[in-house]
Amino acid sequence: QKEVEQNSGPLSVPEGAIASLNCTYSDRGSQSFFWYRQYSGKSPELIMFIYSNGDKEDGRFTAQLNKASQYVSLLIRDSQPSDSATYLCAVDPQAGTALIFGKGTTLSVSS
Amino acid sequence: GAVVSQHPSRVICKSGTSVKIECRSLDFQATTMFWYRQFPKQSLMLMATSNEGSKATYEQGVEKDKFLINHASLTLSTLTVTSAHPEDSSFYICSARDGGAYEQYFGPGTRLTVT
């Protein structure tokens, strides 16, 4: 059974702080890794994806991948109240197949 | 990013009737589309995967005769909920992927309420 694990939270951070969201996956052969943001009552929105070990930065977001440890993380710098949402980690076990999603981590940014 | 649309965004129907939901990729050709269902405060549940011109592949526990999926073109997939019942009330979301791309983009979702 291929699984993606996330801490459900809630993760609470003050405005301006760095939020760190973590994810582990069970299938060592997984190819690419995604972070989605989902606001309450809305569909998921792709934030970024990563497929090579190391860091990938996009604005205030940095994705980190460590395939040896089967670990993916998302850092959000200068967190804003508008970042309050559920963050879904997803793993692509094989190109073209359905992503495997974690249950999501709820982030709350207080002003 | 790529744009995926869904129609309708919200639908209310009577028990026993059928409802069709459309999912369109607006600026790319979606060789594969996925249909998900999400109940309140729960995680996404994959219902089925459809490839253009092929029969959909349903996840275990999803009734293929109740949830009819048609992926007739590279830009359109439809989900028909047949003989809907109140327990089918949920948030239905499609996503699409361009064959050569890593990314999978979601439509805005359809909220179905069966009375």
Side-chain angles (χ1 to χ4, degrees), chain B:
Chain B
V3 180
V4 177
S5 71
Q6 265 183 261
H7 179 80
S9 59
R10 189 179 294 268
V11 58
I12 300 173
C13 70
K14 292 187 184 298
S15 186
T17 62
S18 296
V19 172
K20 180 185 283 189
I21 302 169
E22 291 187 349
C23 175
R24 293 182 185 272
S25 57
L26 298 186
D27 52 2
F28 67 101
Q29 293 187 325
T31 51
T32 307
M33 287 186 169
F34 307 91
W35 286 95
Y36 294 84
R37 181 166 58 178
Q38 188 174 37
F39 293 105
K41 298 194 184 301
Q42 294 190 23
S43 55
L44 290 170
M45 187 192 85
L46 177 67
M47 299 176 67
T49 300
S50 73
N51 292 293
E52 186 263 340
S54 303
K55 287 186 178 180
T57 302
Y58 291 82
E59 295 299 300
Q60 192 172 6
V62 177
E63 300 174 58
K64 61 181 181 182
D65 294 330
K66 181 172 183 61
F67 298 100
L68 302 178
I69 292 171
N70 185 290
H71 191 163
S73 77
L74 285 171
T75 59
L76 173 64
S77 177
T78 60
L79 167 67
T80 301
V81 183
T82 62
S83 186
H85 291 285
E87 57 266 31
D88 298 322
S89 298
S90 188
F91 191 41
Y92 291 86
I93 317 171
C94 72
S95 70
R97 165 181 265 172
D98 183 353
Y102 287 103
E103 306 94 306
Q104 184 175 322
Y105 294 95
F106 283 87
T110 297
R111 194 162 302 281
L112 170 64
T113 302
V114 185
T115 62

